[in-house]
Amino acid sequence: DNCSDKSVLSSGSCSIDVTFTPSVEGARNATLEIPHDGASSPLSVPLAGFGSVARLGMVKVSGPKKVRRSKKATYKVKISNAGTAAATGLKLKVSGKGIKAKKSVGTIAAGKTRAVKVKVRPKKTGKVKLVIEVTSKNAGSKTVKKKITVRK
């Protein structure tokens, strides 16, 4: 932009670089208004752009329904990005009675699915509800629950 805080003569010109990136999904329109001291002020310039957003889609958990106390059990968590932009800063947290686990997932491209393996080591016996929470910096969060039985 070589126009800010400057006067431009009637025979002169200046240029403005504009990037219009809507924060909502889909085609969007806006107007850039440039004030001047002429009769037709402000000058209106139409803008068009396409907004992309990340959105967590399916979160599916698979793994054993029966596990042994103090032994590692591996669960596979499939996470999909149903949005049109990359989902970033994804993290996975597993909790339940006597169970805690965390895993960094990173980034999932738009329209893609990633499978992540997470290991848990139950400390208590009985029926346990695993709570699997997936969070993202820009795609929201989803929670899935899975019932398991922890044996001695």
Side-chain angles (χ1 to χ4, degrees):
D1 166 5
N2 65 357
C3 303
S4 292
D5 300 323
K6 295 181 183 174
S7 294
V8 181
L9 299 174
S10 61
S11 60
S13 67
C14 70
S15 63
I16 301 171
D17 292 321
V18 176
T19 301
F20 176 57
T21 308
S23 60
V24 292
E25 195 168 21
R28 297 288 186 249
N29 298 306
T31 302
L32 171 65
E33 293 189 342
I34 304 167
H36 58 85
D37 61 4
S40 61
S41 184
L43 172 65
S44 294
V45 180
L47 304 174
F50 191 85
S52 298
V53 293
R55 184 174 58 251
L56 284 178
M58 169 206 69
V59 174
K60 185 177 179 183
V61 179
S62 60
K65 290 183 180 181
K66 293 182 180 181
V67 298
R68 290 198 165 295
R69 184 184 74 197
S70 299
K71 300 289 183 187
K72 287 184 181 176
T74 302
Y75 291 87
K76 184 163 95 174
V77 182
K78 281 184 157 182
I79 306 164
S80 70
N81 176 0
T84 55
T88 61
L90 285 146
K91 293 181 182 178
L92 178 69
K93 179 177 149 187
V94 182
S95 60
K97 184 174 81 174
I99 296 174
K100 287 184 183 178
K102 292 181 182 180
K103 184 148 191 161
S104 177
V105 178
T107 299
I108 299 178
K112 299 294 181 181
T113 299
R114 177 175 296 161
V116 179
K117 289 183 180 178
V118 63
K119 294 182 183 200
V120 299
R121 185 184 303 233
K123 295 179 181 175
K124 297 183 179 186
T125 59
K127 297 206 181 282
V128 176
K129 188 183 296 183
L130 288 180
V131 178
I132 298 94
E133 183 181 11
V134 178
T135 59
S136 170
K137 286 184 179 177
N138 67 337
S141 65
K142 287 242 174 162
T143 301
V144 175
K145 296 176 183 174
K146 181 178 180 73
K147 292 180 183 177
I148 65 169
T149 301
V150 180
R151 299 177 288 158
K152 286 186 182 181

